[in-house]
Amino acid sequence: MTVLIRKWFLLSLLFIVPLVVGAQTKEIYVNPDFARLTQDEKTLAILPFEVTMNLRPKRKARTTAGELADLEHKEAFAIQSALQTYFLKRKEKRHFSVDFQDIQQTNALLKQKHLLPDSLSFYSPAEQARILGVDGV
C-alpha cells in the first residue's frame, strides 16, 4: 500500500510543480488584435489541448503507455483550465467583452459527440464552434 501512495504522490507532484512554476514564469500569448478579431463574437469556447509529453529516459522506462496517456490527458485539461482562468481575469479587468463557454460544458459537449482533443483537428474552427454552440473557438 505504501508503494501505491508513494507512486500517487510522485505523479501528483509531476502535475503540480510544472503548473505552479509555469504559471509564474510563462506568458500566455494573446493576439494584439484580439479585441478587434472578436468584436463580432459573443461567446468563445476554449478547447482542450492535444498534449504530447516527452519524458526523460529513466522516467519513461518506469512509465507505462497507459500512464503516459493518462498524464497527457490530464495535462491537456489543466492547460485548458489555466487558459479559462487567464481569460476570465482579463475579462474582469475589461480588456475585452467576449464571453467564454464554461470548460465543463465544452468538455461535456465534446464527450457527447465522442470527440477527443486529438480528433478536433479533423474539424474546421467553424465546425467546432457549431458543435459547441458558440461563435468561435
Side-chain angles (χ1 to χ4, degrees), residues 101-121:
Q101 182 179 63
D102 184 84
I103 60 172
Q104 290 179 340
Q105 182 179 359
T106 300
N107 294 337
L109 290 168
L110 291 173
K111 193 170 188 176
Q112 288 171 7
K113 301 289 184 180
H114 305 287
L115 296 173
L116 300 171
D118 59 347
S119 65
L120 289 173
S121 62

Side-chain angles (χ1 to χ4, degrees), residues 28-29 46-47 49 78-88:
I28 295 175
Y29 172 78
I46 301 169
L47 300 174
F49 285 69
I79 295 168
Q80 181 191 29
S81 179
L83 275 178
Q84 180 183 30
T85 300
Y86 173 82
F87 282 126
L88 290 176

Side-chain angles (χ1 to χ4, degrees), residues 3-16:
V3 173
L4 182 62
I5 293 171
R6 184 174 168 185
K7 189 174 188 180
W8 181 85
F9 177 76
L10 291 174
L11 284 174
S12 297
L13 282 178
L14 182 68
F15 290 114
I16 294 169

